[in-house]
Amino acid sequence: MTEKYISFPSHGLSEDLPLVLIVDDESMNRRILRAMLERDNYRVIEAENGIQALAQCQAHDVDVVLLDILMPEMDGYETAAELKRTNTRVYTPIIFITALEDNPSLARCLDVGGDDFMPKPFDLQILRAKLHAHLRIRHLVSESKKQTDALTYYQNQTEREHELVEHIFNNALQHRDKPKGVDSHLSPASMFNGDVFLNALGPNGSQYYLLGDFTGHGLAAATGALPVARIFYTMVEKNLAVGDIARELNAALYDLLPAHMFCAATIFEISANAQSATFWMGGLPDGYLIDHSGYMLSQLESKHMALGILDDEEFERDVRHVTLNEYSRIVVYTDGIIEAENAQQHQFGYSGLLRTLASQAMIRTDNIIAAVHYFTGNEDQQDDYSVVIIDPQPQAPLQPINHTISPLPIELEVALSAEELKTVDPVAQLMDLVGHLPGLNTHKSTLFILLSEAYNNALEHGILGLDSALKADDDGFLQYYSEREQRLSELIEGEICLRVCYQPQQRTLLLSVKDSGAGFSLEPAAGSQLQHSYGRGIELLKELAEDVEYNQARNEIRIRYHID
């Protein structure tokens, strides 16, 4: 860099040579300076006064100005100030050359924009040193400006690209038909959100929701939201069951995502009359069913693997059904909420969330986020914060129910032995067959709930003899399902028979599930364990079906579902 300004060949005036403007009303001074500078391979232009100097700076890219103070028309002080005001593109050093030696005059040189001064008569060595130093500074400032301009361009370009991507994401993740009673808050830890919340109405008024959390955060995590949204909305329009939606999403993400990425998700459907809900939960923290005061009515356990980890054969699409009432509220969230840390590295945790939910009636998501921020203080947000509260409300169908149904009566019957009960999922396969019948596709989700609830009751209580009273507390849930897996693996004998009868003339579907167990009392004594075993599931079935009844032995349930 040093040699650039002092080692050029003396012949020619290359454009790469530094250009020096000499401003002095004395021609002798200009000639002396020109001779000295041209011997050192500088290009030189001249001006007799400040007005000419300004014109020369506009016409040429001047590298250094050597400026006299005492001149007619416009003195050096005025000229320096005007040069600094008009030349804002790049640093141009101004070196005052003056016979004045008093301190006020020299100080004024710097005050008006001068960068240096040197006395008359000229000392060649000092002049060389000052020119070299200021040209080096000019070069560094010029390079810095180029880098700043490049960074500014890159930043502007990046911001435009981010705006474009954000616009695409927002449009892709939205759906025109939204359920009522939705309160959601998603705040990303970086520009793009690794969490995604989707909600839409099915054709018959069912309400579908998906809260997902992709591995990591930022743009890389957010990219998975696009295929998830496309699949979710497509399957909602077909009114498919929650377990089917989860399975389809899992298969797509298993093929799409790299091995280290997956999507923890809660997918649930609320019936059109808002009296029941079906949940598939994999990888996210447990959700809650609370009342208007914030009291926890039930814990919604997340017992599946996240989407995109298991292949289709390993994937589990069994779901949980819950009964709702006018006071029920559903709360789901991502792990960023409970894992938020304060300065002491203590986490907000489940306890913090439950205390917040119970802190006021009809709490909103903004209140929960405010509580998290208050807990963490000034600590930076390390993960995406997402929380959703649903107040279930009845929803009208989006379109008239299709009255064109298949005229072909169909009857299907399946008997499962003890060995088949361990490995086969009969409900999903039967619903796949029934759901393809004209007029029944929009009912597939409800039919799935009816048949799966009846089948699980027959398996868990009729065949395995499990007692739902175990699920009275959080630890009991784990014990219940652990006991279920153990008894099922050890099962030697037992049979469940499922029957589906489609009657097009009566516009009715008859479902029955019969087990080889001993049956139960339809009205057990108050407080007995069987009351817990059968009560809640039966109530759910009664909400969804036209009629629910048991045979005399109480080991077969019969469900009548009217298509209209």
Side-chain angles (χ1 to χ4, degrees), residues 27 173 242 311 527:
S27 60
L173 301 184
V242 165
D311 63 25

Side-chain angles (χ1 to χ4, degrees), residues 204-486:
N204 66 352
S206 294
Q207 309 159 48
Y208 290 86
Y209 303 90
L210 181 150
L211 179 63
D213 180 3
F214 284 87
T215 311
H217 49 80
L219 181 58
T223 52
L226 295 178
V228 165
R230 179 180 60 81
I231 295 171
F232 177 80
Y233 290 133
T234 299
M235 301 196 77
V236 166
E237 290 174 358
K238 296 179 180 179
N239 225 87
L240 296 183
V242 165
D244 291 335
I245 296 176
R247 181 179 181 181
E248 189 72 18
L249 289 170
N250 179 76
L253 294 180
Y254 183 82
D255 293 335
L256 176 67
L257 298 180
H260 65 278
M261 280 192 70
F262 51 84
C263 178
T266 291
I267 309 169
F268 59 104
E269 174 197 358
I270 299 176
S271 61
N273 62 7
Q275 294 180 349
S276 65
T278 305
F279 290 83
W280 183 95
M281 306 183 70
L284 283 188
D286 294 346
Y288 300 108
L289 190 65
I290 63 174
D291 62 15
H292 286 184
S293 67
Y295 175 77
M296 186 175 70
L297 302 173
S298 179
Q299 186 165 333
L300 306 171
E301 303 80 16
S302 181
K303 62 177 184 177
H304 294 298
M305 298 286 283
L307 299 171
I309 295 178
L310 303 176
D311 63 25
D312 194 56
E313 292 184 0
E314 299 173 305
F315 183 75
E316 298 175 340
R317 57 174 170 172
D318 53 301
V319 294
R320 178 182 175 185
H321 311 296
V322 297
T323 302
L324 306 175
N325 58 45
E326 59 181 320
Y327 304 108
S328 301
R329 310 185 79 202
I330 297 170
V331 181
V332 292
Y333 53 94
T334 58
D335 56 9
I337 297 292
I338 57 175
E339 293 177 2
E341 292 186 348
N342 60 14
Q344 292 73 40
Q345 295 186 320
H346 296 153
Q347 292 188 343
F348 187 66
Y350 291 102
S351 58
L353 177 59
L354 289 173
R355 283 195 303 271
T356 303
L357 292 175
S359 63
Q360 65 183 81
M362 295 300 292
I363 194 164
R364 294 186 53 80
T365 57
D366 290 345
N367 305 132
I368 297 173
I369 297 299
V372 173
H373 285 308
Y374 179 80
F375 175 82
T376 59
N378 295 322
E379 296 299 304
D380 292 336
Q381 184 176 332
Q382 299 300 316
D383 198 359
D384 304 324
Y385 293 163
S386 299
V387 58
V388 177
I389 300 178
I390 306 296
D391 290 296
Q393 300 179 25
Q395 312 275 348
L398 296 178
Q399 59 194 44
I401 296 175
N402 182 10
H403 292 283
T404 302
I405 64 173
S406 172
L408 183 66
I410 295 177
E411 185 169 342
L412 302 172
E413 187 167 340
V414 176
L416 300 175
S417 66
E419 195 61 33
E420 290 166 332
L421 291 173
K422 298 178 183 180
T423 57
V424 175
D425 180 5
V427 176
Q429 296 185 42
L430 282 173
M431 285 301 100
D432 286 341
L433 294 173
V434 173
H436 284 93
L437 294 175
L440 293 183
N441 58 323
T442 58
H443 299 268
K444 184 177 178 182
S445 176
T446 303
L447 295 175
F448 183 88
I449 295 173
L450 291 171
L451 192 58
S452 63
E453 187 68 29
Y455 173 75
N456 287 327
N457 270 344
L459 176 64
E460 294 174 4
H461 308 307
I463 300 296
L464 302 180
L466 289 166
D467 181 4
S468 286
L470 287 173
K471 294 187 284 187
D473 54 42
D474 297 344
D475 293 336
F477 269 103
L478 295 176
Q479 182 183 348
Y480 180 89
Y481 286 107
S482 175
E483 185 73 18
R484 182 185 188 278
E485 292 302 314
Q486 181 179 345

